[in-house]
Amino acid sequence: GSANSEPQLFLAWCNPEFVVVSGGRDSLTPATRPLFARPGCRLLHTAEVGAVTVMLDANDCSVETFRPENVHSD
């Protein structure tokens, strides 16, 4: 989606551990960042962290970024 697709309604419906925003440097501004950020939720913007890889199996979910910041969640 996009800022115009009402992400706050989607985020109110779910309880994400990660939110991945794909786009260029201008796609996530200080004005739009609060639309996607949630307490306890890791916000990853591809313009900042590069490619984001999500790996799922029956017992684990791991998230890695192309640039140095790597995050992991069980």
Side-chain angles (χ1 to χ4, degrees):
S2 68
N4 296 328
S5 65
E6 300 185 37
Q8 57 274 54
L9 293 177
F10 179 71
L11 291 172
W13 171 78
C14 62
N15 187 23
E17 291 182 49
F18 299 95
V19 171
V20 178
V21 177
S22 177
R25 292 183 183 164
D26 294 336
S27 65
L28 191 61
T29 66
T32 60
R33 187 173 290 270
L35 295 174
F36 300 97
R38 291 291 178 267
C41 177
R42 188 77 181 164
L43 177 61
L44 301 171
H45 184 215
T46 58
E48 298 168 354
V49 299
V52 176
T53 303
V54 178
M55 292 163 286
L56 301 170
D57 67 32
N59 301 308
D60 189 39
C61 171
S62 63
V63 178
E64 297 178 359
T65 61
F66 179 75
R67 294 198 179 119
E69 178 178 335
N70 288 314
V71 293
H72 178 82
S73 174
D74 289 325

